[in-house]
Amino acid sequence: MAACAPAQELKPVLTYTMRLPRDRGVIFGMTISPQEDLLTLVPRVDGHWKLIRVRNWYEPQPTEDQLTIESFSKAGGFIDLDPIHLFCSPDGKYLLAVISGWRDLPHHKIQWESVLTVVDLSSFQILSSRREIMPHQTVWNQLANGIILSNAYEN
């Protein structure tokens, strides 16, 4: 990842490479917390997704923490994943990770599923995680005041 200075032509002013091995072609989620920690969630084919927090990523000696979030695996029959959403609370104490996608079911049916995980950012521990099965695709957004909305759409 790289940070760029504002200008007509963007030129990297800093590059940071995470310790997690690269996996090209995966959808990942990324956000910056109010404390300026970089948070990214990287899918893994085995279902053991990695939430990575990089503190002081803009300094010569950044620190990196990793947390495993159990989610969808390649063997789980998922045919399409939605973009990953990472929502920080306005005070920077919590992170909500939303991972959603379509599961392929027998008899040419599909099902929308989401994994919702809440992380305490001060201890960098999972507080809660649950899987939801929904009849319709759900879109997630965060308002400027921190409220997180989900909207279900019928196909």
Side-chain angles (χ1 to χ4, degrees), residues 11-58:
K11 295 183 182 184
V13 293
L14 173 78
T15 300
Y16 176 79
T17 304
M18 290 183 279
R19 293 186 305 231
L20 187 68
R22 290 196 317 184
D23 191 1
R24 293 187 184 276
V26 298
I27 297 173
F28 66 95
M30 185 181 296
T31 193
I32 303 275
S33 75
Q35 291 78 13
E36 297 186 354
D37 294 342
L38 176 69
L39 297 155
T40 186
L41 183 59
V42 181
R44 309 303 296 171
V45 295
D46 61 3
H48 308 295
W49 294 35
K50 300 298 179 187
L51 177 65
I52 301 166
R53 175 177 61 184
V54 183
R55 292 182 163 176
N56 303 314
W57 58 272
Y58 44 82

Side-chain angles (χ1 to χ4, degrees), residues 51 67 69 87 89 93-98 115-121 123-130 148:
L51 177 65
L67 182 63
I69 293 180
F87 301 112
S89 61
K93 291 182 179 179
Y94 305 101
L95 175 79
L96 172 63
V98 181
V115 174
L116 309 171
T117 303
V118 177
V119 176
D120 179 333
L121 292 176
S123 65
F124 206 57
Q125 297 292 316
I126 294 173
L127 294 178
S128 172
S129 188
R130 73 175 197 224
I148 299 169

